[in-house]
mmCIF file of all heavy atoms in Angstrom:
data_model
loop_
_atom_site.group_PDB
_atom_site.id
_atom_site.type_symbol
_atom_site.label_atom_id
_atom_site.label_comp_id
_atom_site.label_asym_id
_atom_site.label_seq_id
_atom_site.Cartn_x
_atom_site.Cartn_y
_atom_site.Cartn_z
ATOM 1 N N HIS A 54 265.286 119.504 8.764
ATOM 2 C CA HIS A 54 265.591 120.316 7.563
ATOM 3 C C HIS A 54 264.616 121.564 7.466
ATOM 4 O O HIS A 54 263.486 121.394 7.030
ATOM 5 C CB HIS A 54 265.422 119.419 6.314
ATOM 6 C CG HIS A 54 265.883 120.153 5.038
ATOM 7 N ND1 HIS A 54 266.491 119.487 4.019
ATOM 8 C CD2 HIS A 54 265.742 121.434 4.585
ATOM 9 C CE1 HIS A 54 266.762 120.331 3.046
ATOM 10 N NE2 HIS A 54 266.253 121.537 3.373
ATOM 11 N N HIS A 56 264.712 126.165 7.260
ATOM 12 C CA HIS A 56 265.500 127.379 7.050
ATOM 13 C C HIS A 56 264.816 128.505 7.816
ATOM 14 O O HIS A 56 263.746 128.939 7.457
ATOM 15 C CB HIS A 56 265.547 127.695 5.568
ATOM 16 C CG HIS A 56 266.127 126.601 4.718
ATOM 17 N ND1 HIS A 56 267.454 126.378 4.628
ATOM 18 C CD2 HIS A 56 265.525 125.617 4.027
ATOM 19 C CE1 HIS A 56 267.677 125.279 3.868
ATOM 20 N NE2 HIS A 56 266.533 124.827 3.486
ATOM 21 N N ILE A 80 269.038 125.214 8.847
ATOM 22 C CA ILE A 80 270.140 125.157 7.869
ATOM 23 C C ILE A 80 270.329 126.673 7.429
ATOM 24 O O ILE A 80 269.523 127.203 6.663
ATOM 25 C CB ILE A 80 269.748 124.318 6.644
ATOM 26 C CG1 ILE A 80 269.433 122.865 7.109
ATOM 27 C CG2 ILE A 80 270.918 124.298 5.656
ATOM 28 C CD1 ILE A 80 268.803 122.004 6.027
ATOM 29 N N LYS A 139 276.042 121.827 4.764
ATOM 30 C CA LYS A 139 275.204 121.506 3.588
ATOM 31 C C LYS A 139 275.825 121.914 2.319
ATOM 32 O O LYS A 139 276.337 123.069 2.179
ATOM 33 C CB LYS A 139 273.815 122.164 3.740
ATOM 34 C CG LYS A 139 272.962 121.934 2.535
ATOM 35 C CD LYS A 139 271.530 122.313 2.825
ATOM 36 C CE LYS A 139 270.658 122.117 1.559
ATOM 37 N NZ LYS A 139 269.291 122.537 1.831
ATOM 38 N N HIS A 239 265.753 115.862 0.724
ATOM 39 C CA HIS A 239 264.599 115.645 -0.140
ATOM 40 C C HIS A 239 264.681 114.218 -0.788
ATOM 41 O O HIS A 239 264.662 114.035 -1.995
ATOM 42 C CB HIS A 239 264.640 116.648 -1.301
ATOM 43 C CG HIS A 239 264.891 118.090 -0.860
ATOM 44 N ND1 HIS A 239 264.150 118.652 0.202
ATOM 45 C CD2 HIS A 239 265.808 119.027 -1.199
ATOM 46 C CE1 HIS A 239 264.624 119.927 0.368
ATOM 47 N NE2 HIS A 239 265.653 120.128 -0.412
ATOM 48 N N ASP A 294 261.215 121.785 5.529
ATOM 49 C CA ASP A 294 261.713 122.657 4.485
ATOM 50 C C ASP A 294 260.593 123.611 3.993
ATOM 51 O O ASP A 294 260.538 124.078 2.850
ATOM 52 C CB ASP A 294 262.229 121.849 3.221
ATOM 53 C CG ASP A 294 263.097 122.763 2.313
ATOM 54 O OD1 ASP A 294 263.665 123.701 2.841
ATOM 55 O OD2 ASP A 294 263.174 122.469 1.126
HETATM 56 ZN ZN1 ZN B 401 266.117 123.185 2.137
#
Side-chain angles (χ1 to χ4, degrees):
H54 187 142
H56 304 279
I80 304 167
K139 178 166 176 180
H239 316 308
D294 198 26

